[in-house]
Amino acid sequence: MKSLNAQNAGAVAVIIYNNVGGIVNMAAGAVGADVTIPSVFMGKLDGELLRDNLLRWVVNATFVNNSPPGPDYLDGDFDNGIIAHEYGHGISTRLTGSNCLYGDEQAGEGWSDFFALMMTNTIDDNGEEPHGIGTYVSAEQNDGRGIRSYPYSRDMDINPMTYDYIITESVPHGVGSV
Ligand SMILES: [Zn+2]
């Protein structure tokens, strides 16, 4: 609805940013098919940086679709990381005690990501280089961000998350990734 309202008001594109930390997937909603302009979503920190600059400067934005030709989202059945993640929930959820993994600080989604990383790494991989979860279904290379706020990496320049991030990350997937 936000994008349609902007389009009807003459916008050529829409940037929506989150009012809390982390990224969520925007759903098309009932009127999504009526939106013909590009619409992107960004996290709170980036959005506030953009907003603050818009108050002071003329900001030029270019929308670039880096995805290869083809569908925007690919079949998760062919994403080894997702398959390992979901099977990993046999341990990271179902074998972990009946009430251990329902709190707002529970890490089960991150544990399943760990299984995915371990099952898909190669002999050349190391802990510093970025490894995203769900990169294939997102039409990205293995070092893309995927479906978490940051790709996994010990390099704090690539993944700056500390335990403090659980305050603003989504529950359970964002918190688990922290
Ligand atoms: Zn999961």
Side-chain angles (χ1 to χ4, degrees):
M1 197 70 212
K2 296 182 183 79
S3 296
L4 184 61
N5 287 340
Q7 176 180 300
N8 289 340
V12 296
V14 174
I15 300 172
I16 298 172
Y17 71 87
N18 208 351
N19 61 345
V20 295
I23 296 286
V24 296
N25 290 324
M26 287 197 296
V31 297
D34 297 328
V35 176
T36 58
I37 58 175
S39 180
V40 298
F41 189 83
M42 63 170 56
K44 185 170 189 263
L45 291 178
D46 290 333
E48 288 178 344
L49 183 65
L50 181 60
R51 178 201 63 193
D52 291 347
N53 277 288
L54 282 167
L55 295 173
R56 278 176 271 164
W57 316 99
V58 173
V59 177
N60 293 309
T62 303
F63 282 50
V64 178
N65 184 353
N66 287 320
S67 301
D72 289 339
Y73 292 102
L74 303 174
D75 191 336
D77 292 344
F78 299 116
D79 192 317
N80 286 338
I82 287 179
I83 298 299
H85 173 106
E86 300 303 344
Y87 272 105
H89 275 314
I91 298 166
S92 66
T93 307
R94 291 167 186 77
L95 288 180
T96 312
S98 58
N99 288 315
C100 295
L101 286 173
Y102 293 96
D104 287 350
E105 299 182 20
Q106 67 102 341
E109 293 300 333
W111 297 349
S112 264
D113 286 352
F114 174 80
F115 288 120
L117 295 174
M118 289 306 297
M119 297 297 284
T120 58
N121 69 14
T122 69
I123 197 165
D124 298 320
D125 287 345
N126 64 60
E128 273 67 40
E129 60 194 17
H131 290 278
I133 297 293
T135 51
Y136 172 78
V137 291
S138 305
E140 296 175 341
Q141 298 299 308
N142 290 345
D143 60 358
R145 183 175 66 85
I147 56 178
R148 304 289 180 245
S149 294
Y150 297 93
Y152 286 98
S153 171
R154 288 196 305 235
D155 186 337
M156 296 293 283
D157 290 330
I158 296 171
N159 183 332
M161 292 198 293
T162 62
Y163 198 63
D164 194 45
Y165 275 64
I166 69 165
I167 296 169
T168 53
E169 280 287 326
S170 62
V171 177
H173 293 89
V175 166
S177 73
V178 174

